[in-house]
Amino acid sequence: MIELSVSRLNKRFGGNHVLKDVSFNVNGAEMIGLIGPNGAGKTTLTNVLDGALKPNSGTVYLNGKRIDQLPSFEVAKSGLGRTFQVTRSFRRMTVLENLYVPALALGKSRIGIEVKEQALEVLGFLTMDHLRNEYARALSGGQQKLLELGRLLMLDPDIIILDEPFAGVHPKLMEVIYEYIRRVNEQGTAIIIISHQMDSIFALCKRLLVLNYGDLIADDTPEAVKNDSVVIEAYLGTTEDRSRTGQQDAAGEAQ
Ligand SMILES: Nc1ncnc2c1ncn2[C@@H]1O[C@H](COP(=O)(O)OP(=O)(O)OP(=O)(O)O)[C@@H](O)[C@H]1O
Ligand SMILES: [Mg+2]
């Protein structure tokens, strides 16, 4: 069974204490929402979990193996992958070539039939077969998000962290991405999803983590979190205020 164990993580940037003793566990193919105000530390937590940043203290274990001191490619090999708040794709490669990159990064010296078949399978899953020979730069923002999800799936991960998968995506494609996230989860991958889009988070997740300027202030069901006065004070109250003035998600969309 998939098991992620995050224990007392601290991360500081100079005097800015961005993660303060953050601890939580993921057990099995859960779908967990990670929410909190802009600057709360959500992306930083992702960067620490995927090995892009080293914590100042604390530990991360994935399936019993310590991963907090490993470089990102080793973390990916161990089964944890992530997408980026600002999508990253190899713009001058084709869609298919983009999917080959993770295999190369894992040390394969050439792209064998196995990788090719897996790439085609992933493209089929994402219903992007017809785009296989397009350059990544020709894709829409939403399609690039899908391609990024596809690159993650090539690693056959145990757990993936999606940093704002809906931000800046056309509403129609948002529904498509939403469905893929659900299906990936159903197939046995644990997912942590960061989003300011509360409707999607509440619809997708059975458990929410709330980060507030470095403190994990809640780890509970959406219902409990919705009624938690500390969370309302720190975050949800302000989201509602924003939606009343028609500015909901402006922060998320801008990034
Ligand atoms: N590489 C870095 N160097 C210095 N400070 C950083 C770095 N990355 C993040 N920070 C700081 O850490 C804090 C948390 O930022 P982070 O990007 O993790 O927040 P977030 O919760 O992802 O916000 P958002 O919802 O806007 O994406 C902020 O004060 C930010 O300025
Ligand atoms: Mg962020």
Side-chain angles (χ1 to χ4, degrees):
M1 184 162 100
I2 299 161
E3 194 184 0
L4 181 75
S5 179
V6 177
S7 181
R8 305 197 62 177
L9 277 187
N10 282 279
K11 182 66 192 173
R12 293 185 186 82
F13 294 111
N16 192 1
H17 197 172
V18 176
L19 298 176
K20 302 171 185 163
D21 268 340
V22 172
S23 302
F24 65 95
N25 291 320
V26 178
N27 294 304
E30 293 190 80
M31 173 94 86
I32 301 172
L34 174 57
I35 63 173
N38 294 118
K42 305 180 297 294
T43 296
T44 302
L45 177 59
T46 306
N47 287 335
V48 170
L49 294 179
D50 94 326
L53 291 173
K54 299 285 167 278
N56 293 96
S57 62
T59 56
V60 183
Y61 285 85
L62 178 60
N63 302 329
K65 176 181 170 187
R66 188 164 175 184
I67 60 167
D68 55 86
Q69 297 299 318
L70 300 179
S72 286
F73 76 95
E74 290 283 356
V75 172
K77 235 195 233 182
S78 306
L80 186 148
R82 61 88 63 94
T83 61
F84 293 87
Q85 192 162 354
V86 178
T87 310
R88 296 177 179 185
S89 56
F90 300 95
R91 296 171 57 79
R92 281 184 285 188
M93 290 186 191
T94 67
V95 166
L96 207 50
E97 285 164 352
N98 263 273
L99 293 179
Y100 297 158
V101 171
L104 291 174
L106 290 190
K108 298 204 174 167
S109 56
R110 57 181 208 91
I111 301 300
I113 189 83
E114 218 176 279
V115 173
K116 285 184 182 163
E117 275 174 7
Q118 195 191 357
L120 290 174
E121 201 182 301
V122 165
L123 277 187
F125 178 83
L126 297 173
T127 54
M128 286 175 79
D129 313 67
H130 58 296
L131 297 170
R132 70 173 79 162
N133 294 321
E134 294 289 335
Y135 285 107
R137 64 166 180 259
L139 302 182
S140 73
Q143 287 169 332
Q144 298 212 19
K145 293 244 176 205
L146 276 184
L147 177 58
E148 210 181 3
L149 183 58
R151 281 215 310 272
L152 272 187
L153 297 182
M154 288 297 291
L155 295 171
D156 211 1
D158 290 325
I159 177 162
I160 60 181
I161 308 175
L162 306 174
D163 197 353
E164 310 243 8
F166 306 121
V169 172
H170 187 276
K172 266 199 191 134
L173 203 52
M174 212 180 112
E175 272 172 44
V176 175
I177 293 176
Y178 178 99
E179 261 321 296
Y180 287 126
I181 292 173
R182 239 175 32 80
R183 278 174 55 198
V184 170
N185 179 243
E186 276 169 11
Q187 293 184 357
T189 305
I191 298 182
I192 297 176
I193 175 168
I194 299 171
S195 180
H196 289 283
Q197 313 225 353
M198 287 305 119
D199 291 351
S200 310
I201 286 284
F202 281 111
L204 278 169
C205 304
K206 292 201 175 68
R207 176 181 170 200
L208 298 185
L209 301 172
V210 187
L211 203 53
N212 186 42
Y213 303 109
D215 288 310
L216 195 62
I217 57 170
D219 177 355
D220 216 324
T221 62
E223 292 69 35
V225 163
K226 238 188 256 182
N227 296 312
D228 185 318
S229 58
V230 179
V231 176
I232 293 169
E233 170 84 9
Y235 182 52
L236 292 180
T238 59
T239 330
E240 247 172 43
D241 291 346
R242 266 188 250 142
S243 73
R244 271 202 292 276
T245 57
Q247 289 168 6
Q248 189 179 17
D249 301 325
E253 294 291 356
Q255 297 179 36

